[in-house]
Amino acid sequence: MKLRIATAAVMIAAFTVPAFAADEFYVVQDVKTKKCTVVDKKPTDTSMTVVSPSGAVYKSRSEAESSMKTVKVCTSN
């Protein structure tokens, strides 16, 4: 019985965790071109840098795009 409950909990978590991860957006800047964009995954390589204030994570793309207009390094280009 405990094994069935544990298995069910693992299966539920496996299906719900990716859904929550899709609701993360970041304002990033390309290191070479200095162009800012909004991405749905935190950059893992050094070609992009998160430039949103305090590394903020946004819940929607439109929220991140609005914030990008206020980021100094993005508006100075």
Side-chain angles (χ1 to χ4, degrees), residues 5-25:
I5 293 172
T7 303
V10 169
M11 301 255 320
I12 290 170
F15 288 112
T16 58
V17 170
F20 290 120
D23 292 341
E24 293 183 347
F25 295 91

Side-chain angles (χ1 to χ4, degrees), residues 1-66:
M1 182 72 166
K2 288 182 184 181
L3 182 60
R4 284 186 175 173
I5 293 172
T7 303
V10 169
M11 301 255 320
I12 290 170
F15 288 112
T16 58
V17 170
F20 290 120
D23 292 341
E24 293 183 347
F25 295 91
Y26 300 87
V27 177
V28 297
Q29 184 181 46
D30 186 294
V31 173
K32 292 180 184 176
T33 66
K34 304 296 184 197
K35 183 180 178 194
C36 293
T37 55
V38 174
V39 296
D40 61 354
K41 293 182 182 171
K42 190 170 184 175
T44 57
D45 60 359
T46 57
S47 67
M48 294 280 193
T49 304
V50 176
V51 293
S52 50
S54 301
V57 178
Y58 301 99
K59 299 289 181 194
S60 70
R61 180 172 291 279
S62 62
E63 183 183 1
E65 288 170 349
S66 294

